[in-house]
């Protein structure tokens, strides 16, 4: 077997999958979505001692007593599942529906903006007053931003006066919402399935058996320039005590360089 070093370089692209720690079998993985970077690194905590007998305070012992193993990346997939994981929240599914006679605040005036209770791509909006024989408010008296369920009152009829409160009837689409920080953090398994463009798209795999994701530090809601918004991903790699410390897979993770198919 030759000991000659063969040049190998790396330019990686790939997909990242996660699933909860403790998942049974080989299923349950979910693709995170587009990530423009993913890096793994560590720090080493060391103990040391300098002697006190020579007058030079020379170092005589230094050894590792632990350290941190971390993952860092940038996620460009912005959906409710990702936000729930990064903001330690829960996802609620809101079905489409129909609303009748939703009351506005009492005594709304020209210039007021009203937010509907179900502001999800509203359609078939009709605004009436509270008269026993309801009078419909003509569309010329308000601006409706239907995708967000927002109504700005521009004017009121000169007469007769409308009986308040005004009421809205409409249909709305379904939605998915994330509540922030209402759930405990989850430990996840993470798997990178990549290709090395520098070596003819050679396949590689990196696995991290137990990661604890840090809460999202920044969520960009208004963007500018030519780049898509990204969310910084940070996680600490924990030891999986269910695996043998000196086993071939280790307790933290592994990197696999896959050989080409031989004829």
């Amino acid at each position: 077997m030759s000991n000659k070093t063969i040049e190998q370089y790396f330019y990686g692209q790939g997909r990242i999958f996660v699933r909860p720690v403790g998942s049974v079998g080989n299923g349950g993985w979910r693709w995170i979505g587009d990530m423009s970077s993913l890096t793994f690194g560590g720090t080493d905590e060391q103990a040391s001692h300098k002697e006190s007998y020579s007058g030079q305070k020379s170092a005589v012992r230094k050894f590792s007593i632990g350290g941190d193993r971390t993952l860092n990346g940038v996620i460009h997939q912005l959906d409710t599942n990702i936000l729930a994981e990064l903001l330690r929240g829960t996802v609620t599914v809101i079905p489409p529906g129909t609303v009748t006679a939703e009351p506005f605040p009492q005594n709304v005036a020209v210039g007021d903006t009203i937010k509907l209770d179900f502001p999800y791509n509203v359609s078939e909006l009709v605004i009436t007053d509270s008269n026993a024989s309801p009078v419909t408010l003509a569309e010329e008296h308000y601006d409706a931003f239907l995708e967000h369920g927002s109504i700005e009152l521009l004017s009121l009829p000169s007469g007769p006066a409308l009986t308040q409160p005004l009421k809205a009837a409409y249909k709305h689409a379904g939605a998915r919402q994330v509540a922030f920080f209402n759930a405990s953090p989850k430990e996840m398994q993470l798997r990178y399935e990549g290709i090395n463009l520098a070596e003819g798209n050679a396949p590689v795999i990196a696995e991290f058996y137990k990661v604890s994701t840090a809460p999202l530090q920044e969520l960009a809601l208004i963007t500018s320039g030519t780049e898509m918004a990204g969310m910084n991903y940070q996680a600490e790699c924990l030891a999986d005590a269910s695996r043998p410390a000196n086993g071939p897979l280790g307790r933290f993770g592994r990197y696999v360089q896959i050989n080409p198919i031989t004829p």
Side-chain angles (χ1 to χ4, degrees):
M1 181 177 178
S2 174
N3 290 324
K4 181 180 179 181
T5 298
I6 300 175
E7 284 187 332
Q8 286 198 343
Y9 298 94
F10 190 81
Y11 192 103
Q13 302 277 278
R15 299 193 297 170
I16 293 90
F17 296 84
V18 295
R19 70 174 184 174
V21 167
S23 296
V24 179
N26 297 325
W29 294 94
R30 181 176 59 80
W31 179 41
I32 286 180
D34 183 28
M35 290 187 71
S36 59
S37 68
L38 181 67
T39 59
F40 171 68
T43 59
D44 196 24
E45 183 180 358
Q46 296 185 334
S48 61
H49 178 71
K50 292 183 178 181
E51 50 80 14
S52 301
Y53 51 79
S54 70
Q56 298 184 13
K57 300 287 289 184
S58 300
V60 293
R61 292 291 187 275
K62 190 172 186 178
F63 50 92
S64 175
I65 58 173
D68 295 324
R69 316 289 182 250
T70 56
L71 285 166
N72 291 278
V74 178
I75 301 175
H76 296 278
Q77 176 80 9
L78 183 57
D79 63 26
T80 52
N81 288 327
I82 290 295
L83 286 177
E85 289 178 10
L86 297 181
L87 292 171
R88 298 176 181 175
T90 56
V91 177
T92 302
V93 177
I94 301 170
T98 300
V99 177
T100 58
E102 179 182 309
F104 286 10
Q106 188 70 35
N107 298 323
V108 294
V110 172
D112 287 351
T113 298
I114 297 93
K115 309 295 184 180
L116 296 176
D117 290 341
F118 296 88
Y120 319 120
N121 270 331
V122 169
S123 62
E124 301 182 25
L125 173 66
V126 176
I127 300 174
T128 60
D129 72 351
S130 293
N131 194 291
S133 298
V135 177
T136 299
L137 183 65
E139 293 182 3
E140 65 189 56
H141 293 293
Y142 59 88
D143 276 339
F145 304 90
L146 298 176
E147 65 275 18
H148 295 126
S150 182
I151 301 166
E152 182 181 358
L153 195 60
L154 302 177
S155 61
L156 290 172
S158 55
L162 298 177
T163 303
Q164 297 212 34
L166 302 181
K167 297 179 180 180
Y170 58 93
K171 292 183 178 180
H172 64 85
R176 290 169 60 87
Q177 68 180 17
V178 179
F180 297 159
F181 297 101
N182 70 335
S184 300
K186 297 179 181 178
E187 294 174 344
M188 307 292 285
Q189 295 177 344
L190 187 144
R191 176 183 170 102
Y192 164 72
E193 297 179 355
I195 55 173
N196 182 2
L197 277 67
E199 300 296 339
N201 291 347
V204 298
I205 294 173
E207 291 182 326
F208 304 91
Y209 308 136
K210 190 177 183 180
V211 302
S212 177
T213 304
L216 184 64
Q217 295 183 358
E218 181 179 271
L219 176 61
L221 296 176
I222 296 180
T223 54
S224 59
T226 58
E227 296 294 327
M228 297 293 106
M231 299 179 292
N232 290 329
Y233 171 81
Q234 296 177 320
E236 182 175 356
C237 297
L238 307 176
D240 183 354
S242 67
R243 300 173 183 267
N246 298 319
L249 302 181
R251 281 184 166 178
F252 289 93
R254 64 172 181 159
Y255 178 87
V256 183
Q257 183 175 297
I258 300 174
N259 296 329
I261 299 174
T262 55

